[in-house]
Amino acid sequence: MRALGSGGTALPGLVVERLHPDALSQLANDLSATALITGTNGKTTSAAMLARILRADGRAVVHNRAGSNLLRGVTAAMVDAASLLGRLPADANAVLESDEAALPAIAAAAPPSVAVFTNLMRDQLDRYGEIESIARRWADALSAFPPETVIALNVDDPLIASLAHHWDGSCLSFGIEDPDIPSAPQGEIMDAVWDPKTDDDFRYSRRYFAQLGRWHTDSGAQRPTPDIAADNITFAAGLTSFTLQLPRSSVDIALPADGLYSVYNALAASTAAIALGVAAETIRDGLESHEAAFGRQEEMVVEGRRVRLLLGKNPSGMNQALRTLQRPGERHHLLVLLNDGIADGTDVSWIWDVDWESQAQHCESLTVGGHRAADMALRLKYAGFPEPCNPIENDIGDVLRAALDAVPESGRLTILPTYTAMLDVRQRLGQMGAARLWDVAR
Amino acid sequence: MTSPGRPSLNIAVLYPDLLNLYGDRGNARAVEERCAARGIDTTVLGVGIGDDWSSRQADIVLVGGGQDREQRRVQADLQRRGEDLREYVDNDGVVLAVCGGFQLFGHHYRGWDGEIMEGIGIFDAVAAHPGPKIARCVGNVVALWEGETVVGFENHGGRTYLNDGQQALADVVSGFGNNGGDGLEGAKVKNAYGTYLHGAVLPKNPRLADRLISLALDRRFGAEAAELPPLDDSVALRAHAEALHAALSARESALGRRFA
Ligand SMILES: [Zn+2]
């Protein structure tokens, strides 16, 4: 069994940044290609999928893992990968996940060959500000990209699709074409409701979640037909199958991940891979070897019980995590962890905008924890959840103990943590001897 | 849902699809839940742009916060309802206006680009954004309201200034409040309450929630109906304590930095 690794990787980056402020751009000179991935949700998993695809293509890959997505974390990843000579492996490709706000700085230091935009949703308003300011920042960042950059846009998100207006170079679009994907429940939160350019409302013939779907406006703007698309999507536990339609071919994918948002992640990775010249079969091989990224649909075993981590850090992300849980007849043992650290967002108001109500009837047992456990308990009480099966605990060790005790032997605990709570609980699980599910199976 | 013989309150939420950014829908949930626990029926009605609605049908009017562009968007429709809402407040109608809603219930809001968004003048107050280079007021807030703490989270670029004679809702203990300068939080005119507090504010400030319910019951059914039996508020008060702790420990570390 392998112990669980830790998540913090930004420290060497800080050291190098201080000693050598332009270290990243010097190292970036050695790269043969750089893929930047940004957006509110899905960037960590999309980047992990792209790294797999590029490795399946036999390339050397430099990759900032585990959400170290500020300039510092990206520098750290490059320094780690550089040899003692201070150079990166010959012909390496970099796969760099970039924080939404850090995109201009990272793109300036490591000019992208392809830049992927996944979606733009409300996230940690105390830290990022409102959506409009991120959209403006991205439009500015685009004007500094090298002209040969390919931008890859999720056109199901009208805010991402509109980035094409700010870019004269090549653009590849991706989206979902399957007509049988059900619409989001009425009342689910949606952030962008109208076109900032024309002031027209976005209207939807189908809306999958948040503002993603088949949109159009009264002045005739509409979702473009994507260059790269997913169709024939079917969901089974832990496995999502779909046909990946590429410009000149199509390939069937069996993706070991749950939920529609996993399909979007796979589309983001595939589109970047196409821009970098990877063949369809190699994209399939890469995607089918996908393993959950840190805390995102990660499965492990502790004390004979399965434990699953589903990170949720904003309303749309948490709504999607909850939707992957909803299978007919299934009930879940839940541990919900709410922290209010800087990396979580110090404002916990967003929990009121999550559709917890949809999950209340599927809950077998409930435990809450984190620095704002009582806030969470209050929200879930209002959503009609059963009473938490133990007293409200802020301490992560105590709360994990209580949650595990509520799960019968060989049962499964599903943990829904915010970002720093995910780091805390994962570390604690590691101390308890948890092992990743696929390591146990091997 | 309503049933004969039980008291019933109509809750109107203004612009729920546009002023929905900071979890303020929790306020309607708190009113519903706290009424239901006491056998009071509630009907929650969302009022959107262009909807045919009059405050005569309402017992509690709730309005939340949004982005500047959303505030701009509701402005004209709100103007159209201004006279009706002022009359409602004159007749002791109950209002909770949060953040952007609070700003638009004052005389006007001047945005960071100087653009004026007209309000409906229920509160004798003006709001102004000091400009794009000036930091927003962001963080946990503790304020004193009638000798008790109220807690929440604020996130606003605009600063509100109360004119002489306009009563504040509360006094800031920690955080910015209306403008970060005069130590005041929110405003109160008759039964209309304005505040910058999100959180959502009512769930974890159960006394404030009960005050609004009780004022609405008094107005509709008389003083006797307005007496609310206590509820088990242990979870709400624990959430209140967590928010208090978050606010005060952030203040401590800021003081620590200053004196380090
Ligand atoms: Zn606000």
Side-chain angles (χ1 to χ4, degrees):
Chain A
M1 281 191 200
R2 182 178 65 179
L4 295 169
S6 83
T9 53
L11 189 60
L14 173 62
V15 175
V16 174
E17 208 177 82
R18 289 258 167 85
L19 294 175
H20 213 332
D22 55 353
L24 179 55
S25 32
Q26 285 193 9
L27 290 167
N29 280 337
D30 295 341
L31 295 166
S32 72
T34 298
L36 284 189
I37 300 181
T38 196
T40 308
N41 288 325
K43 52 189 177 290
T44 300
T45 299
S46 302
M49 287 176 176
L50 178 58
R52 290 239 165 215
I53 293 169
L54 295 175
R55 289 200 182 99
D57 199 40
R59 306 186 192 198
V61 176
V62 181
H63 175 201
N64 63 324
R65 284 164 207 265
S68 285
N69 56 18
L70 303 174
L71 186 58
R72 195 165 287 167
V74 172
T75 308
M78 301 279 248
V79 171
D80 270 358
S83 69
L84 287 173
L85 298 170
R87 297 183 70 88
L88 292 166
D91 295 329
N93 286 190
V95 177
L96 304 178
E97 166 194 344
S98 167
D99 179 271
E100 299 93 289
L103 179 71
I106 291 175
S113 323
V114 56
V116 185
F117 295 85
T118 61
N119 49 63
L120 178 52
M121 290 163 187
R122 157 210 331 208
D123 187 22
Q124 300 175 31
L125 297 156
D126 57 316
R127 181 158 141 237
Y128 294 115
E130 296 169 351
I131 279 183
E132 264 183 296
S133 69
I134 294 287
R136 273 198 301 271
R137 209 180 251 261
W138 282 358
D140 289 349
L142 284 176
S143 65
F145 281 5
E148 62 276 13
T149 303
V150 177
I151 64 169
L153 303 179
N154 177 358
V155 290
D156 287 349
D157 182 340
L159 291 181
I160 298 296
S162 74
L163 287 174
H165 302 306
H166 300 274
W167 185 241
D168 293 330
S170 306
C171 174
L172 280 175
S173 56
F174 62 93
I176 283 171
E177 283 289 283
D178 189 332
D180 299 323
I181 295 299
S183 275
Q186 276 290 317
E188 190 189 277
I189 201 84
M190 176 168 123
D191 296 326
V193 286
W194 69 84
D195 185 346
K197 257 179 59 182
T198 60
D199 221 34
D200 283 338
D201 284 325
F202 290 126
R203 301 183 192 286
Y204 289 83
S205 56
R206 280 198 300 282
R207 182 164 80 87
Y208 310 130
F209 61 90
Q211 76 272 15
L212 271 58
R214 286 234 177 184
W215 54 269
H216 63 273
T217 71
D218 290 345
S219 0
Q222 61 171 336
R223 167 188 174 272
T225 302
D227 301 312
I228 288 149
D231 202 346
N232 308 318
I233 304 171
T234 57
F235 302 102
L239 192 74
T240 301
S241 306
F242 60 94
T243 303
L244 180 66
Q245 292 173 340
L246 301 170
R248 270 176 299 276
S249 62
S250 73
V251 58
D252 290 329
I253 309 279
L255 182 72
D258 278 317
L260 192 63
Y261 64 141
S262 299
V263 178
Y264 276 113
N265 294 336
L267 281 169
S270 304
T271 306
I274 291 291
L276 296 176
V278 181
E281 288 66 31
T282 313
I283 290 176
R284 181 196 57 211
D285 293 347
L287 289 176
E288 295 191 346
S289 72
H290 169 71
E291 287 180 4
F294 206 73
R296 282 106 176 150
Q297 299 194 5
E298 209 180 10
E299 290 251 15
M300 49 194 82
V301 174
V302 64
E303 297 177 356
R305 291 163 182 84
R306 284 193 296 157
V307 174
R308 164 171 59 173
L309 284 172
L310 291 176
L311 178 69
K313 42 184 188 151
N314 48 47
S316 322
M318 193 61 95
N319 279 337
Q320 281 307 295
L322 292 178
R323 270 225 253 163
T324 65
L325 295 180
Q326 288 162 21
R327 285 177 214 293
E330 258 188 49
R331 290 166 70 83
H332 304 280
H333 297 278
L334 293 181
L335 167 58
V336 187
L337 297 172
L338 178 65
N339 273 4
D340 60 354
I342 304 280
D344 305 292
T346 53
D347 183 5
V348 297
S349 305
W350 65 273
I351 61 174
W352 291 93
D353 290 327
V354 174
D355 184 21
W356 300 101
E357 280 76 3
S358 67
Q359 191 57 39
Q361 302 310 314
H362 304 276
C363 181
E364 184 71 37
S365 76
L366 172 68
T367 307
V368 293
H371 304 148
R372 302 296 289 270
D375 242 304
M376 195 67 243
L378 186 60
R379 173 68 187 97
L380 295 177
K381 181 180 156 184
Y382 278 2
F385 272 72
E387 288 281 301
C389 55
N390 40 59
I392 296 160
E393 271 297 348
N394 299 108
D395 179 82
I396 198 76
D398 294 347
V399 82
L400 180 58
R401 179 74 268 146
L404 283 168
D405 287 346
V407 180
E409 193 102 12
S410 82
R412 175 156 82 169
L413 175 66
T414 298
I415 307 181
L416 295 161
T418 58
Y419 187 73
T420 68
M422 185 271 286
L423 299 182
D424 288 351
V425 76
R426 209 175 169 284
Q427 184 184 32
R428 189 58 64 128
L429 284 162
Q431 289 162 0
M432 295 172 73
R436 288 236 203 179
L437 201 55
W438 47 83
D439 295 332
V440 180
R442 259 169 215 160
Chain B
M1 224 184 293
T2 59
S3 46
R6 302 208 327 169
S8 164
L9 293 177
N10 288 316
I11 301 156
V13 181
L14 302 188
Y15 315 114
D17 298 333
L18 292 167
L19 303 182
N20 67 352
L21 191 54
Y22 297 94
D24 298 322
R25 62 166 70 179
N27 292 330
R29 295 288 295 121
V31 172
E32 283 182 286
E33 289 287 326
R34 300 185 71 79
C35 284
R38 284 137 167 163
I40 303 161
D41 292 327
T42 49
T43 308
V44 179
L45 178 75
V47 180
I49 289 177
D51 286 357
D52 182 21
W53 173 83
S54 144
S55 63
R56 269 191 304 281
Q57 304 151 21
D59 297 297
I60 298 180
V61 171
L62 301 173
V63 54
Q67 310 193 53
D68 273 11
R69 117 181 144 172
E70 285 138 2
Q71 277 175 235
R72 226 173 290 134
R73 180 110 159 174
V74 305
Q75 188 200 182
D77 187 81
L78 185 63
Q79 283 304 311
R80 193 168 64 80
R81 306 182 191 280
E83 198 180 317
D84 175 54
L85 285 166
R86 281 189 296 271
E87 205 177 284
Y88 168 76
V89 171
D90 274 345
N91 293 321
D92 302 317
V94 178
V95 172
L96 178 69
V98 178
C99 195
F102 172 39
Q103 293 171 342
L104 291 175
F105 272 51
H107 295 299
H108 66 250
Y109 170 51
R110 184 164 49 77
W112 60 269
D113 53 359
E115 186 196 352
I116 300 273
M117 286 179 236
E118 290 297 333
I120 55 172
I122 283 175
F123 301 114
D124 189 11
V126 294
H129 196 298
K133 298 243 179 307
I134 309 292
R136 294 170 70 84
C137 303
V138 182
N140 287 289
V141 185
V142 180
L144 270 184
W145 168 68
E146 299 185 351
E148 287 191 35
T149 52
V150 290
V151 292
F153 196 95
E154 63 184 330
N155 187 344
H156 51 107
R159 271 71 166 173
T160 287
Y161 297 90
L162 307 181
N163 289 331
D164 282 349
Q166 169 63 62
Q167 188 192 343
L169 177 62
D171 297 305
V172 176
V173 177
S174 178
F176 295 90
N178 285 348
N179 53 52
D182 60 20
L184 301 176
E185 206 309 295
K188 179 180 166 323
V189 170
K190 302 191 89 170
N191 294 338
Y193 290 62
T195 180
Y196 271 116
L197 299 190
H198 305 289
V201 64
L202 293 186
K204 53 181 161 265
N205 293 286
R207 273 249 308 142
L208 185 60
D210 280 356
R211 171 64 57 85
L212 300 183
I213 294 168
S214 156
L215 288 169
L217 289 168
D218 190 346
R219 175 169 174 264
R220 173 81 54 188
F221 305 104
E224 215 166 294
E227 265 177 53
L228 297 174
L231 300 178
D232 173 8
D233 279 329
S234 50
V235 179
L237 294 176
R238 177 85 184 259
H240 183 104
E242 282 176 358
L244 203 65
H245 178 79
L248 298 179
S249 57
R251 188 169 73 145
E252 252 165 45
S253 65
L255 285 172
R257 273 201 300 279
R258 203 175 312 155
F259 295 117

